[in-house]
Amino acid sequence: MLATNGRMKIAIQRNGRLTEDSVALLRACGLSFEFQKQSLYSPCSNFDLDVLAIRDDDIPEYVQDGVADLGIIGENVLQERNARVHILAALGFGGCKLMISVPQRSAIRKVSDLHGRRIGTTYPTILKAFLRDNKVKAEIIELSGSVELAPSLNVADVICDIVSTGTTAKMNGLRTFCTVLESQAVLVANPAAMRDKKKRAIIDRLMIRVQGSQEASGKRYLMMNAPADSVARLKRVIPSLKSPTVVPLAETGMVAIHSVVAEDVFWDVMEKLKKAGASDIIVVPIETIIR
Ligand code: PRP
Ligand code: ZN
């Protein structure tokens, strides 16, 4: 049923670090679908794309083989699986590091100290390349999960695993000491889907929306009133998109100014605007910016 109903599919992680942000991104792109972690398949009612929720480790192969046309996946999993897919965009969420962690009291301080050790991991391919690049001869113990337990179970001496907040490592008496790979979520496509005219048109439409929501992220829309003669001064304070919109108000000598400001500087900008004569300052979130 899945592969044959002719609708395009995007694979996302069913239940994990990327799930919430993946769903939020698709919703920000205007896709309307019911998402439940139990259901594998969520049809989208207003766009020719259905959402397939699966184990993240399966996403690279699914997209490579065309079971799904698109996928949202961490670069860590993508690189480990070595799948032939087309990377459309880095998504700016799901940031994490693949790191080597050692027991708290371990004497290991530098990469060369790993010589002769057993390293437990679910990332044997990436780890192998890292060890080779660093000319370290260590034994890779390939595990299928719960890697953080390996040192205390004496299955491995150290581990190579994903660290996001660092809580898991700490709770298991481990100290992170070197980064093997930095990763974030990426949007990927099946190469044949990119060459298919109909599918490509849908991918292009989705990409415009993805870029729109990425443009908007971290930005706020700013509106304020000000005396017309303060506009020149205010303009210098507003780091606007191109130039701010200035419209006259019914009250003579007063104008309304609209602009876009970055989230991280917006309090600074507001304080300066107030000092420069602005009043009734309103700040609202922006959902998308299409250029
Ligand atoms: C990783 C890793 C740890 C956890 C670390 O799993 O295996 O369990 O995240 O996160 P923390 O530093 O915030 O404690 P991942 O999310 O990659 O899940 P998966 O391997 O089960 O897909
Ligand atoms: Zn996984």
Side-chain angles (χ1 to χ4, degrees), residues 45-248:
S45 63
N46 61 348
F47 200 81
D48 287 331
L49 186 66
D50 294 337
V51 180
L52 203 56
I54 56 178
R55 249 167 46 104
D56 62 343
D57 311 61
D58 294 334
I59 293 177
E61 281 90 344
Y62 270 51
V63 176
Q64 171 183 283
D65 300 346
V67 178
D69 304 281
L70 295 164
I72 295 177
I73 185 64
E75 290 170 310
N76 53 318
V77 177
L78 195 59
Q79 197 154 327
E80 179 64 28
R81 299 278 154 169
N82 235 325
R84 260 165 289 122
V85 297
H86 184 91
I87 298 177
L88 287 165
L91 297 173
F93 63 79
C96 65
K97 289 177 179 174
L98 181 62
M99 296 188 84
I100 295 183
S101 300
V102 303
Q104 218 45 272
R105 274 198 281 287
S106 162
I108 295 173
R109 300 281 159 200
K110 48 190 192 314
V111 177
S112 60
D113 295 340
L114 292 169
H115 262 297
R117 310 282 179 146
R118 298 168 300 162
I119 311 178
T121 191
T122 56
Y123 293 85
T125 307
I126 298 175
L127 177 59
K128 197 174 165 192
F130 174 83
L131 293 174
R132 192 190 48 224
D133 292 349
N134 286 279
K135 300 185 174 58
V136 171
K137 283 221 156 57
E139 187 186 350
I140 298 175
I141 310 284
E142 192 171 340
L143 302 169
S144 58
S146 305
V147 175
E148 61 278 2
L149 299 178
S152 59
L153 296 173
N154 197 22
V155 172
D157 303 310
V158 307
I159 64 166
C160 174
D161 197 15
I162 294 300
V163 175
S164 147
T165 59
T167 320
T168 307
K170 211 179 229 167
M171 280 193 359
N172 288 280
L174 302 171
R175 145 173 85 77
T176 58
F177 100 101
C178 90
T179 300
V180 173
L181 177 85
E182 292 201 31
S183 168
Q184 64 171 308
V186 289
L187 178 63
V188 295
N190 171 269
M194 293 294 286
R195 292 190 300 266
D196 178 298
K197 221 173 147 205
K198 265 198 188 145
K199 289 185 170 180
R200 181 58 185 266
I202 293 170
I203 293 172
D204 288 347
R205 280 176 65 208
L206 182 73
M207 279 309 293
I208 288 174
R209 298 179 184 203
V210 168
Q211 280 154 3
S213 85
Q214 284 187 320
E215 279 283 348
S217 99
K219 296 197 182 108
R220 307 283 183 88
Y221 197 73
L222 188 67
M223 295 173 271
M224 75 206 83
N225 294 336
D229 59 15
S230 68
V231 169
R233 229 174 324 137
L234 289 170
K235 267 189 179 172
R236 282 196 292 275
V237 179
I238 307 170
S240 100
L241 272 179
K242 284 194 188 97
S243 72
T245 307
V246 181
V247 273

Side-chain angles (χ1 to χ4, degrees), residues 248-265:
L249 292 180
E251 189 185 333
T252 44
M254 289 294 285
V255 293
I257 302 174
H258 292 199
S259 190
V260 172
V261 66
E263 216 162 51
D264 53 341
V265 296

